[in-house]
Amino acid sequence: MFGLAKGLKYTLKNMTRKKLTYDYPNEPLPLPDRFRGIQKFYPEKCIVCNQCANICPTDCITLTGKKHPDSSKRGKIIDTYDINFEICILCDLCTEVCPTEAIIMTNQFELAEYSRDELFKDLVWLDENDTQLRKENKA
Amino acid sequence: MIEGLLTSEATWLHFFIYFALTVLLLFIVLGFVTYAILAERKVMGFMQLRHGPNQVGGRWGLLQTVADVLKLLIKEDAIPRAADKPLFILAPLIAFTPAFMVLAIIPFTDRFQFADIGVGLLYYIAVSGITTVGVVTAGWASNNKYALMGAMRAAAQMISYEIPLVMSVIGVILLTGSMNLNDIVLAQENGWYILWQPIAFIVFFIAAVAELNRVPFDLAEAESELVAGYFVEYTGFRWAFFMLAEYVYMFAMSALITVVFLGGWLPLPYLGFIPGAVWFALKFMVVIFLLIWFRVTFPRIRADQLMEFGWKVLLPVAIANIFLTALLKEWINLF
Amino acid sequence: MIRTEEMLLNVGPQHPSTHGVFRLVIKIDGEMIIDAKPVIGYLHRGTEKIAENLQYTQIIPYTDRLDYLAAMTNNYVLCHAVETMMELDIPERAEYLRIITMELGRIASHLVWWGTYLLDLGATSPFLYAFREREMIINLLNEISGGRLTFNYMRVGGVKWDAPDGWIEKVKAFIPYMREQLAGYGDLVTGNEIFLNRVKGIGQYTKEEAMDYSLSGANLRCTGLAWDLRKSEPYSIYDRFSFEICTADTGDAWGRYQVRIQEIEQSLRILEQAVEQFPETGEVMGKVPKVIKPPKGEAFVRIESPRGEIGCYIASEGKKEPYRLKFRRPSFYNLQILPKLLVGQNMANLIAILGAIDIVLGEVDG
Ligand code: SF4
Ligand code: SF4
């Protein structure tokens, strides 16, 4: 009986404690800077080195480059860049390898859509996804 | 007042007055159920460091239950194809009707009572037993193995715990000399029975929690073992009937405990200026809070331990209490 | 004569207490179980096969998804295996960060177990209390790794990030807080008579049986055998800390409960020492060749995860990808004893026994 009484006391004590739940949809969840959310892409920084597509463990990045329009410059510029968020596991490896930080993580994680097709994000979408960017991108 | 009505001439006017009062009680009970569910969720939430419902109906979630009930009512009424259809439909009704029938005999104040019958206590226990039939029917008719097991557990549990429940109140009956609930309340003028009959109170309370199928005795619907027990196949308003029955019983049982052990509408000494109805409500709420508090704190007892506890602990204690009371009474009479 | 019939009951794959998609086909006579057969594989994703086509760094996020309640130890076992093969030196600071995150993960994992186990036994509140503390740990790990569950924090040769400013202080502050809460758990559950009646003598086996079934972790230590790889075969820098191997001698669910609760305490002790000794400065990434290619050969390493011994076997042909990768997943091995324990028990004990083994389906099915 004594053990039961102790338990009752414990729950009663907790009744007036501070509540710990988040008011989630009304207030955004506070997330640390390093949080791995949906990527932001800077087309102008990308040098089309393909490292991100190679490291991606789920093969969800597809990219194509094209010749630099200004023929005096060497190298390529990005033409299309898609991430398939149906299979992206937000593992952070693409942003880790990118030499120019053309792709970085943001703090957004809300990816619910009504159709699978909408999870296929292209260059324009990823470029416009520019809120809550990660500040410190390299360790 | 109601006594007068019952013995008065059978005119339409009297009938309608009586009818109106009954409807009033119905609304009180439904109102209670609505807010008991809310209170339960809120208190549980608070004890578990959550807020509980706070979306529908303001910060306190005052309309949450109403919204839930509406949702249940407009839900599709699914009956499993392999179920025994007539029984499946009948079961919630069998379970739920007695819950309302027992309310008739509860004296809420010295005047607000619908049937002042001599064997009030017995009536309560007898009628509430019918619900078990509904539960077993539901479990059988669902044609689901989990439901069947839940129903068997419920039957075993209700039979086992009804006995200590009756045995424990015999002490009270001995001291009062009557089974009429009004008499029982009035006999508590110089001290509630919780003081004179503490053992009986504890046994009664434990057995009552078991009768109500609440934690720690919620084996019949044991979510983590039997998924939902006997009503696993029920949805929508049929399921709501079971839920309603459960909470109406909670209402009735708490009222009964208030009446039998906590002095019903009787006030504490020197506080007689507060009306009886308020006193009743206060004591009643303490009992309800206790039930919720238990639910938050305890794990579930195992089926075989439950049986053992009922037959090997509660029953002997209750019987011993009867002897003790009899001796006590003789001893008092000596002087 | 009443004719009775045995009943075949499918517990799961969708059942509130199977902790995932685990299916158990039981034959019951009334509520008594006379035969039990676990059916697994509903969450099989073929991690080991996928890994054969991936570079070592790419495998790390997959290990997060095996034992998803303690992803740090999974990260570590893979990195440890590769590092062993390549004979890499790990910087001091990285080792400390690894230990701190792994021990935090161990506490979080045990907390989830504690909460869900009590939920299985019908008590709703402990779950929410446990998740309050777990949330704090998750927030700490989120801050350092950027993930709440799938951390992907460790790399071959070190860790991905250094601790952010003030992180070590937060861990330091968490330790006394957790101790205090642990005492509260004792009040709420450990002394509760109903609870004790539910777990004492349930799912009992002897030391020999445990060894025969190759059990590990708390399932083994509850029989009184003091075998904890952190002490018995120290890896990383565990030999620098003083802590005890938690054992119980009952061999039942109650013993397993006690072992896990004590392990939280011991983990706190390790954490305390680790944050104390934490080097002021230093690298978090060792000198690792740009392309990770372990030499031809094979290696097997094992470490202590919250659920038992997790092992990693790598067969390498000197390529960027492993030729074969195999995980010894403790939940999978621990589950094997379940049918034996279940025979003769009733439904309520089924849940108590299954819960006490502490399986994570991601790990069972791989
Ligand atoms: S986060 Fe991981 S899975 Fe997603 S695109 Fe980048 S590398 Fe691929
Ligand atoms: S790694 Fe960076 S620079 Fe290279 S292709 Fe990807 S985004 Fe462009």
Side-chain angles (χ1 to χ4, degrees):
Chain A
M1 283 309 266
F2 186 61
L4 300 181
K6 266 212 274 191
L8 285 172
K9 201 176 122 213
Y10 185 80
T11 40
L12 191 67
K13 245 194 356 225
N14 272 304
M15 195 163 156
T16 48
R17 283 252 205 109
K18 208 179 131 257
K19 307 287 167 278
L20 290 162
T21 42
Y22 305 112
D23 190 9
Y24 164 56
N26 305 329
E27 281 169 31
L29 217 54
L31 287 166
D33 183 51
R34 289 179 185 174
F35 185 77
R36 308 196 301 257
I38 310 157
Q39 293 92 331
K40 147 90 179 152
F41 182 65
Y42 295 96
E44 63 281 1
K45 284 194 197 168
C46 179
I47 52 168
V48 201
C49 66
N50 253 321
Q51 287 195 44
C52 53
N54 285 337
I55 195 77
C56 177
T58 59
D59 273 339
C60 60
I61 303 179
T62 32
L63 59 89
T64 54
K66 60 182 178 203
K67 271 241 176 63
H68 208 289
D70 182 354
S71 49
S72 63
K73 291 215 177 85
R74 288 199 296 125
K76 283 180 174 176
I77 62 161
I78 197 81
D79 189 16
T80 65
Y81 193 96
D82 308 300
I83 298 183
N84 181 358
F85 280 99
E86 263 186 83
I87 51 176
C88 170
I89 52 176
L90 294 170
C91 66
D92 207 2
L93 290 179
C94 49
T95 61
E96 190 175 315
V97 293
C98 179
T100 60
E101 309 218 342
I103 182 150
I104 64 168
M105 289 281 180
T106 71
N107 258 359
Q108 294 162 41
F109 54 90
E110 281 152 333
L111 256 178
E113 301 283 4
Y114 283 103
S115 142
R116 287 172 169 231
D117 301 342
E118 283 164 43
L119 287 171
F120 200 79
K121 307 291 190 196
D122 62 1
L123 187 141
V124 180
W125 192 94
L126 288 167
D127 189 16
E128 281 166 2
N129 178 29
D130 58 357
T131 49
Q132 297 175 283
L133 301 182
R134 184 194 266 177
K135 289 176 209 79
E136 168 207 33
N137 207 37
K138 283 273 147 61
Chain B
M1 174 180 73
I2 287 166
E3 200 46 24
L5 277 172
L6 279 177
T7 47
S8 62
E9 254 178 89
T11 63
W12 281 110
L13 178 69
H14 287 149
F15 171 77
F16 279 120
I17 294 175
Y18 199 75
F19 190 77
L21 283 171
T22 328
V23 171
L24 179 70
L25 180 70
L26 180 70
F27 276 103
I28 291 175
V29 173
L30 288 181
F32 162 80
V33 171
T34 314
Y35 287 98
I37 294 174
L38 183 69
E40 175 153 35
R41 293 174 65 177
K42 272 288 184 194
V43 171
M44 273 182 81
F46 281 165
M47 285 187 172
Q48 295 169 344
L49 311 164
R50 303 181 282 123
H51 287 278
N54 64 354
Q55 299 295 318
V56 190
R59 222 166 69 78
W60 292 93
L62 292 175
L63 295 175
Q64 181 66 48
T65 323
V66 181
D68 286 345
V69 171
L70 276 181
K71 181 203 81 176
L72 287 175
L73 288 180
I74 57 176
K75 254 182 124 167
E76 185 193 347
D77 173 30
I79 299 178
R81 189 174 301 153
D84 189 334
K85 212 166 166 195
L87 284 184
F88 191 84
I89 293 168
L90 198 63
L93 293 179
I94 305 178
F96 143 94
T97 318
F100 275 92
M101 280 164 65
V102 297
L103 290 178
I105 51 125
I106 307 272
F108 296 102
T109 72
D110 42 357
R111 274 189 263 130
F112 196 65
Q113 181 190 18
F114 288 87
D116 185 13
I117 53 178
V119 288
L121 210 47
L122 212 54
Y123 168 86
Y124 181 98
I125 288 159
V127 172
S128 71
I130 299 175
T131 298
T132 320
V133 180
V135 168
V136 175
T137 314
W140 175 256
S142 302
N143 198 3
N144 177 308
K145 291 166 186 172
Y146 287 114
L148 185 63
M149 281 164 80
M152 296 318 284
R153 280 185 178 191
Q157 179 180 343
M158 295 221 183
I159 292 167
S160 316
Y161 275 76
E162 213 128 271
I163 296 165
L165 192 78
V166 179
M167 288 297 180
S168 62
V169 285
I170 290 184
V172 172
I173 296 169
L174 278 177
L175 285 186
T176 317
S178 162
M179 283 207 245
N180 182 306
L181 290 173
N182 269 324
D183 292 346
I184 289 177
V185 173
L186 292 176
Q188 298 181 57
E189 295 247 78
N190 31 14
W192 302 347
Y193 278 137
I194 187 172
L195 300 176
W196 297 116
Q197 289 281 322
I199 304 171
F201 173 73
I202 291 168
V203 174
F204 188 87
F205 194 80
I206 294 174
V209 177
E211 280 284 297
L212 291 174
N213 259 330
R214 286 182 61 87
V215 176
F217 302 101
D218 61 335
L219 294 119
E221 46 207 82
E223 186 200 299
S224 54
E225 295 153 26
L226 301 182
V227 189
Y230 57 86
F231 51 62
V232 66
E233 292 289 355
Y234 282 86
T235 53
F237 68 95
R238 292 186 208 285
W239 181 80
F241 269 116
F242 280 114
M243 239 29 211
L244 188 62
E246 205 160 285
Y247 277 88
V248 172
Y249 266 125
M250 190 169 146
F251 178 87
M253 195 52 103
S254 310
L256 192 71
I257 292 173
T258 312
V259 166
V260 176
F261 289 99
L262 301 179
W265 64 84
L266 296 176
L268 281 172
Y270 313 116
L271 290 171
F273 57 89
I274 300 171
V278 176
W279 279 110
F280 188 92
L282 279 179
K283 294 171 188 173
F284 172 82
M285 281 195 272
V286 170
V287 180
I288 295 275
F289 180 77
L290 261 181
L291 288 174
I292 298 174
W293 191 11
F294 278 14
R295 172 158 177 202
V296 181
T297 312
F298 295 143
R300 185 182 308 118
I301 289 184
R302 211 171 63 207
D304 52 323
Q305 288 168 350
L306 174 98
M307 292 297 144
E308 241 165 64
F309 184 66
W311 292 102
K312 291 191 188 162
V313 180
L314 281 188
L315 188 60
V317 169
I319 292 175
N321 182 57
I322 299 174
F323 277 107
L324 214 68
T325 315
L327 288 178
L328 198 76
K329 190 163 178 172
E330 278 307 301
W331 187 69
I332 290 171
N333 285 352
L334 279 184
F335 296 96
Chain C
M1 216 3 224
I2 304 172
R3 195 175 61 95
T4 60
E5 228 172 72
E6 281 165 10
M7 195 155 81
L8 200 71
L9 186 65
N10 270 301
V11 180
Q14 285 115 7
H15 184 281
S17 296
T18 49
H19 298 263
V21 278
F22 172 61
R23 178 167 155 223
L24 193 62
V25 185
I26 55 174
K27 221 185 260 168
I28 48 174
D29 179 12
E31 280 216 18
M32 202 62 81
I33 298 167
I34 44 181
D35 190 22
K37 200 172 125 219
V39 183
I40 61 171
Y42 289 88
L43 198 59
H44 181 64
R45 295 147 299 180
T47 308
E48 288 166 5
K49 190 71 194 167
I50 294 174
E52 286 170 18
N53 293 315
L54 294 178
Q55 300 165 31
Y56 289 96
T57 316
Q58 293 178 315
I59 305 172
I60 299 172
Y62 280 92
T63 63
D64 283 339
R65 286 150 179 86
L66 285 173
D67 177 357
Y68 39 74
L69 293 181
M72 283 292 181
T73 31
N74 298 0
N75 279 190
Y76 181 73
V77 75
L78 179 73
C79 296
H80 188 42
V82 180
E83 285 156 9
T84 313
M85 287 191 96
M86 299 174 71
E87 291 167 357
L88 294 174
D89 285 326
I90 317 300
E92 189 92 329
R93 199 177 166 89
E95 289 279 27
Y96 274 100
L97 281 172
R98 283 179 172 187
I99 296 274
I100 293 173
T101 50
M102 278 198 290
E103 290 307 317
L104 281 173
R106 189 182 311 271
I107 298 173
S109 163
H110 281 338
L111 283 175
V112 175
W113 172 79
W114 185 76
T116 49
Y117 189 52
L118 267 294
L119 202 61
D120 288 350
L121 297 182
T124 40
S125 295
F127 180 72
L128 287 131
Y129 296 137
F131 267 60
R132 165 187 59 185
E133 272 76 70
R134 176 173 180 264
E135 183 71 16
M136 291 178 172
I137 298 177
I138 294 291
N139 281 341
L140 283 173
L141 294 178
N142 192 1
E143 229 168 279
I144 196 170
S145 75
R148 285 171 55 87
L149 200 65
T150 50
F151 306 115
N152 190 16
Y153 178 58
M154 297 190 197
R155 294 285 181 277
V156 176
V159 294
K160 179 169 161 63
W161 305 89
D162 197 354
D165 291 341
W167 192 79
I168 294 292
E169 276 63 46
K170 282 187 199 165
V171 176
K172 224 179 247 177
F174 173 76
I175 298 164
Y177 170 81
M178 186 64 223
R179 286 229 166 92
E180 195 185 310
Q181 299 308 321
L182 213 52
Y185 294 175
D187 285 349
L188 182 62
V189 175
T190 313
N192 189 313
E193 283 85 356
I194 300 177
F195 169 74
L196 291 180
N197 277 329
R198 285 292 305 268
V199 291
K200 277 199 177 152
I202 300 300
Q204 205 157 16
Y205 47 76
T206 61
K207 200 187 286 183
E208 285 69 38
E209 280 169 327
M211 275 151 57
D212 287 350
Y213 276 90
S214 186
L215 302 186
S216 55
N219 291 304
L220 176 67
R221 289 192 284 275
C222 73
T223 58
L225 190 71
W227 179 258
D228 185 326
L229 290 176
R230 288 177 294 171
K231 235 188 161 94
S232 317
E233 275 180 12
Y235 52 93
S236 188
I237 50 167
Y238 272 110
D239 46 0
R240 297 189 197 172
F241 309 113
S242 73
F243 63 98
E244 268 132 47
I245 303 180
C246 319
T247 54
D249 42 21
T250 46
D252 55 4
W254 170 232
R256 273 157 258 169
Y257 177 88
Q258 284 172 308
V259 168
R260 291 200 178 101
I261 291 287
Q262 286 167 19
E263 268 183 20
I264 298 182
E265 266 164 50
Q266 296 302 329
S267 287
L268 287 172
R269 257 180 82 186
I270 298 176
L271 276 178
E272 211 165 32
Q273 298 165 43
V275 292
E276 212 49 65
Q277 302 169 7
F278 191 68
E280 290 291 319
T281 50
E283 285 290 306
V284 294
M285 200 63 190
K287 285 190 186 56
V288 184
K290 200 150 188 326
V291 183
I292 298 167
K293 271 190 197 164
K296 204 166 170 161
E298 50 182 22
F300 177 76
V301 297
R302 51 181 186 171
I303 64 163
E304 190 74 24
S305 98
R307 259 151 276 283
E309 277 179 42
I310 184 165
C312 178
Y313 167 82
I314 297 177
S316 164
E317 291 200 313
K319 296 214 185 88
K320 282 194 288 186
E321 300 89 10
Y323 174 71
R324 171 83 169 97
L325 183 75
K326 160 124 185 87
F327 286 106
R328 184 209 188 269
R329 309 179 309 269
S331 294
F332 175 73
Y333 290 82
N334 291 346
L335 192 61
Q336 306 308 316
I337 201 171
L338 185 70
K340 174 179 150 33
L341 296 181
L342 286 183
V343 173
Q345 305 287 348
N346 60 25
M347 271 300 280
N349 282 348
L350 182 159
I351 304 301
I353 292 171
L354 177 64
I357 294 179
D358 187 18
I359 51 167
V360 164
L361 260 294
E363 199 179 52
V364 173
D365 292 342

